Amino acid sequence: MADVSVPPGRTGGIVINDDWPGYSLDLFSFPAHYSGDLDSVIIPHGLIMDRTERLARNIMDDLGEHDIVVLCVLKGGYQFCADLVDRIKALSRNSNRSIPMRVHFIRLKSYLNDQSTEDLHIVGAEDLSFLADKNVLIVEAIVGTGKTMKTLLKHVEAFRPKMIKVAGLLVKRVPLNSACLPDYVGFEIPNHFVVGYALDYNEYFRDLNHICVISESGKIKYKI
């Protein structure tokens, strides 16, 4: 896996280079109903789990002993959030430091097929007054241009939390990136449309364990 590296001194996560072809689908198990709909496995499930455990440790180091509210961004972030919270809880049970946590769910809707639209809807975040003077950890599956995250941060900041940190499983290298990067990054990936591990394409592919690159035929098959 020579094309995947962590540059010295970089804290932006594991970097997957643009020329990384991914793993052959033949090396992994995936639902048969997606046969022909995927190009490759870009991040295997086991690697996601290992990286998530490390992010949990980083969060413990920074926020240990702080009472935090985890703000899970649905729908794509539910699996990452669940696994991250589980690992933070496990660390809390086996450490002198702990993080008391509450979890709240919101939903962002901005995609049509594989294109992000300007029409962003924040569902479940109409009244976040309970965040006042709280330490907030926003958990998001993927950050692209950063526009959506900027909008969400502005919305959350209006409720005057004490602190806001962001954990993002994936950061996509895209044109016009606004540099609104998460504080905790799992992986930096090429500008591919990826699915799996709760990331979807028109509500399909959430049931994949691995993060995969969708094929052109898959986009056509599930286009609305």
Side-chain angles (χ1 to χ4, degrees):
M1 198 169 170
D3 290 307
V4 181
S5 61
V6 182
R10 186 186 181 94
T11 58
I14 296 175
V15 178
I16 300 178
N17 294 336
D18 288 340
D19 57 356
W20 166 243
Y23 294 102
S24 169
L25 295 167
D26 295 336
L27 298 174
F28 299 91
S29 297
F30 63 94
H33 52 265
Y34 291 138
S35 179
D37 301 332
L38 305 167
D39 277 341
S40 64
V41 174
I42 191 169
I43 309 176
H45 184 258
L47 184 55
I48 299 170
M49 294 296 95
D50 286 349
R51 182 62 183 146
T52 300
E53 182 175 357
R54 180 62 203 203
L55 292 179
R57 287 183 177 275
N58 292 344
I59 291 168
M60 276 289 292
D61 289 342
D62 294 344
L63 305 180
E65 307 302 337
H66 288 279
D67 191 332
I68 67 172
V69 178
V70 177
L71 207 58
C72 175
V73 181
L74 299 174
K75 295 181 181 176
Y78 79 81
Q79 190 64 65
F80 174 49
C81 184
D83 289 333
L84 183 64
V85 167
D86 277 348
R87 276 147 186 79
I88 293 173
K89 286 161 56 179
L91 290 171
S92 293
R93 289 194 300 269
N94 297 287
S95 171
N96 292 328
R97 306 179 74 191
S98 63
I99 300 182
M101 290 183 293
R102 295 169 54 193
V103 182
H104 185 77
F105 301 90
I106 62 172
R107 184 180 177 191
L108 304 184
K109 299 174 66 176
S110 63
Y111 266 84
L112 178 63
N113 295 317
D114 62 344
Q115 299 297 315
S116 180
T117 69
E118 296 294 328
D119 191 13
L120 175 67
H121 298 281
I122 304 177
V123 182
E126 294 81 4
D127 183 11
L128 298 177
S129 56
F130 61 90
L131 296 180
D133 296 320
K134 297 293 194 304
N135 301 302
V136 179
L137 177 67
I138 298 174
V139 179
E140 171 67 290
I142 187 166
V143 176
T145 63
K147 291 180 181 178
T148 298
M149 183 55 64
K150 272 190 172 181
T151 300
L152 177 57
L153 285 171
K154 184 177 180 180
H155 184 78
V156 172
E157 286 167 356
F159 295 96
R160 301 185 180 280
K162 183 186 299 182
M163 175 182 66
I164 304 175
K165 296 287 187 180
V166 179
L169 177 63
L170 306 176
V171 170
K172 188 184 294 188
R173 289 190 299 275
V174 297
L176 305 178
N177 189 294
S178 66
C180 185
L181 298 178
D183 301 281
Y184 308 100
V185 178
F187 303 86
E188 181 185 301
I189 65 172
N191 189 16
H192 301 316
F193 195 92
V194 294
V195 294
Y197 193 64
L199 293 168
D200 77 304
Y201 177 77
N202 293 330
E203 297 300 329
Y204 291 93
F205 301 101
R206 294 194 196 276
D207 50 339
L208 282 170
N209 282 335
H210 315 293
I211 294 177
C212 302
V213 178
I214 189 173
S215 67
E216 289 303 316
S217 60
K219 290 180 182 179
I220 294 171
K221 180 177 178 180
Y222 297 107
K223 186 176 181 179
I224 59 174

